[in-house]
Amino acid sequence: MTAGAIDPSGTRAEAAATPARVPGQPTRFQRSQSWVLGTVAVVIVLAIWEVATTVLQLMPGFILPAPSTIASRIAGLVVSGDFWHDMAVSGQEFAVGFGIAIVVGLLLGLFMGWFQPIQYLVDPFVNFLNSTPRIALAPLFIIWFGIGIWSKVAIVFFGAVFPVLITTISGVKNLDRSLLRAGRAFGANNAQLFTTVALPGAVPYILSGLRLGIAHALTGVVVGEFIAANAGVGLLMVRAAQTYDTATVFAGVVIVAALGLLLTALLAALERRFQAWKPTGP
Amino acid sequence: MTTVSAQTSFDRPRAHERGQVALRAEGVHIHYWLERDRSAFLAVDGIDVEIAEGEFVVIVGPSGCGKTTFLDAVGGLHAISSGKLELYGEPIRKPGPDRAIVFQQPSLFPWQTVRGNVGYGLRLAGKRSKAEIAQIVDRHVELVGLAKFGNAYPGELSGGMQQRANLARALAADPQMLLLDEPFSALDAQTRDVMQEELLRIWSVSRKTALFITHDIKEAVFLADRVLVMSARPGRIAEIIPIDIPRPRTGEVKRSAAFLEYEERIQRLLEATR
């Protein structure tokens, strides 16, 4: 073999030919493995489910409807006007409640993390409320705010604010001391230290708080509407359940899950935007 | 002049010492709080030294001798308990743009690019326009040999490159005094040698007054105009040794007889003060 051989003068006769595959280089299948295997698994489970319910009829439809029935129910909902009203109401509850939770959680968290005495003042309340199962407060919110959207906004807010608040506090608390020292050494005053070191340093924590918050907020919307509401996807589901319209209940589950996935994907995009600086690991 | 330390009288007159005194420490004592023992610990027990403008002074000493504490005090990060610590006659009370520190740890802001980090001090000061800052940043990024990596994030750089960026960040702030806290101690031996030569090259361009902390004797002799040898417990200057090796110095110097003699002398001093 001549390629890559070293000639007597000590220089390479010609560049070594790159082999078709280098150790460590993933095959095309390995690259798309997670995607392909995930899809295959879902398709297989859906197929078994479909066969078991429609062909073998192992279970009555009001216990476990077929995937095809659920799909056609979703299609039916999507073309109906009522459904979009429910979506709009649930969407508002989510957006307003989660929005307020982000603003309050972030601001309070940054202040509590930065100014120790403020944390000492607020900590007892945070600890108490955070260890209460927040959904237990739902009846109270319905008494206070009625069965319109505001009781659900309150439930969503209380569900989502603590994850955001607590992760923001730990983001500020766990700042790299050496970076704070560097900032101070370059003459940063407290306000500058806060904006140039504390805030960007806490971003990864804040983002994971938002991720947790989304899950809590979605739970808040649906469960809040189960308890008392005059519109919304949760109400749609609880009404369907009362009439054994199990396919519609499943349709609601699928829609809420899809929204959760969508929001998490949006957050992931935001994370990539903010964490371009994170060295990419394996 | 009042009671300048007797130790400085060992020095022969040197060109740079005819210049102005940049840093003056007189009877500096520094305590810090040890929460574990609930008591104050005397880290620096009376340091007297004068550092002239443009001089490169290295403090060498065992770990725990208070050398970093002293540097922190000069940086304004740690208050002194008694004595005088002045930069150009002004008592040092807090950090300021007239001093810049190059830290031992990778203390670059990971969310900013190399250029962003290098411009940090200038942006804080807020005295220059964006275009001016960009120009100064470019010049310093180039000076430390990172021209190709200006837009890289610190996480993408090797340890040596990170310390280059750290150095550029300190120099770009255009301080009157450069404080270096064991900047190369985390690097591997070969990179450290390269960085020492690079530091001298870069320093010869700016001729900033420099105070450098290390526990590496070779490093101290190679870089310094004067080496301050510190003893631990109490943290005091055991001796001040002027290094009469002509500049510019290259790695070759480290094998010269004079160099080895200095090295041995400091080694003995450190052993004696243990």
Side-chain angles (χ1 to χ4, degrees), chain A residues 178-179 181-188 192-193 196-197 200-201 276-277 279, chain B residues 72 77 95 99 101 103 107-111 120-121 124 153 155 169-170 181:
Chain A
S178 66
L179 296 183
R181 232 163 84 89
R184 201 168 286 130
F186 278 93
Q192 287 172 322
L193 218 51
T196 63
V197 185
W277 50 270
Chain B
D72 280 354
L77 293 171
R99 286 146 291 150
I101 306 182
F103 292 99
S107 59
L108 295 166
F109 301 113
W111 51 82
Y120 182 70
L124 280 185
Y153 288 95
R169 177 172 68 176
D181 183 11

Side-chain angles (χ1 to χ4, degrees), chain B residues 168-212:
Chain B
R169 177 172 68 176
L171 287 170
D174 194 24
Q176 290 176 328
M177 190 163 182
L178 197 56
L179 308 172
L180 304 106
D181 183 11
E182 303 200 37
F184 306 144
S185 63
L187 303 178
D188 63 80
Q190 274 153 34
T191 310
R192 192 183 314 151
D193 285 344
V194 172
M195 288 305 294
Q196 287 165 3
E197 286 193 54
E198 276 292 279
L199 175 61
L200 284 190
R201 175 186 67 79
I202 292 159
W203 177 74
S204 70
V205 174
S206 65
R207 285 278 162 175
K208 294 272 179 221
T209 312
L211 180 61
F212 188 108

Side-chain angles (χ1 to χ4, degrees), chain B residues 16-37:
Chain B
H16 57 76
E17 278 171 12
R18 278 185 248 115
Q20 208 181 346
V21 172
L23 184 84
R24 171 175 290 135
E26 269 178 43
V28 169
H29 290 74
I30 309 172
H31 289 83
Y32 59 79
W33 183 253
L34 275 182
E35 184 62 27
R36 185 163 39 93
D37 303 348

Side-chain angles (χ1 to χ4, degrees), chain A residues 44 46 70 112 114 158 170 181 191 218 225 259 277:
Chain A
I44 290 174
L46 285 178
I70 298 168
M112 285 173 69
W114 196 244
F158 260 85
S170 50
R181 232 163 84 89
L218 276 179
E225 289 176 357
L259 287 176
W277 50 270

